[in-house]
Amino acid sequence: MTYELIMCIVNTGFTDVVMDAARDKGARGGTVVHARGTANKEAEEFFHISIQPDKEVVMILVTSDIKDAVLHAVYQAAGLKTAGQGIAFALPVTNVVGLSSPTPPPPAEQQKENEEHPKQTETK
């Protein structure tokens, strides 16, 4: 399985918005780091935004198959045209250790799934 790291830099206070959007598309969690932006007045004028110096960086490790969906959902929820004024990008990840596989459904859900889709057995 291949992974990618999605990084989203947003104004302070918008990490929940980012993570809610990411989880809706299959992300399992993320890490938030406090940061300080260093953009100058020319950048503010070019992008037609005011730059808040306090930022938060949300790092989300996802499988490559859901990267595009997560990236676009995060940008829709907290991108430059929102109050979060975020940017998001993805980086390839070459090695991963310490991750567990997705958790199986609880026994009650597994039982319901088995009832809805019973296994076929051979009869002789």
Side-chain angles (χ1 to χ4, degrees), residues 3-67:
Y3 292 89
E4 302 233 9
L5 178 67
I6 293 176
M7 296 191 69
C8 187
I9 303 165
V10 292
N11 288 337
T12 298
F14 287 87
T15 56
D16 288 339
V17 172
V18 170
M19 285 310 307
D20 288 346
R23 282 190 185 103
D24 284 347
K25 298 299 180 183
R28 295 173 58 196
T31 300
V32 178
V33 178
H34 182 75
R36 183 173 52 89
T38 61
N40 56 28
K41 288 291 180 195
E42 290 82 21
E44 289 183 3
E45 291 172 11
F46 180 77
F47 290 112
H48 304 291
I49 59 172
S50 62
I51 307 235
Q52 177 184 356
D54 283 334
K55 301 289 182 186
E56 290 174 321
V57 179
V58 184
M59 298 177 288
I60 309 165
L61 189 63
V62 297
T63 55
S64 296
D65 61 325
I66 66 169
K67 183 250 319 179

Side-chain angles (χ1 to χ4, degrees), residues 53-99:
D54 283 334
K55 301 289 182 186
E56 290 174 321
V57 179
V58 184
M59 298 177 288
I60 309 165
L61 189 63
V62 297
T63 55
S64 296
D65 61 325
I66 66 169
K67 183 250 319 179
D68 287 336
V70 173
L71 189 61
H72 292 292
V74 163
Y75 190 73
Q76 288 292 320
L80 280 176
K81 295 182 180 181
T82 71
Q85 292 184 331
I87 63 166
F89 55 92
L91 300 168
V93 174
T94 57
N95 294 304
V96 176
V97 295
L99 290 182

Side-chain angles (χ1 to χ4, degrees), residues 95-114:
N95 294 304
V96 176
V97 295
L99 290 182
S100 59
S101 60
T103 55
E109 288 183 28
Q110 184 64 45
Q111 178 65 32
K112 182 179 176 185
E113 186 175 309
N114 288 343

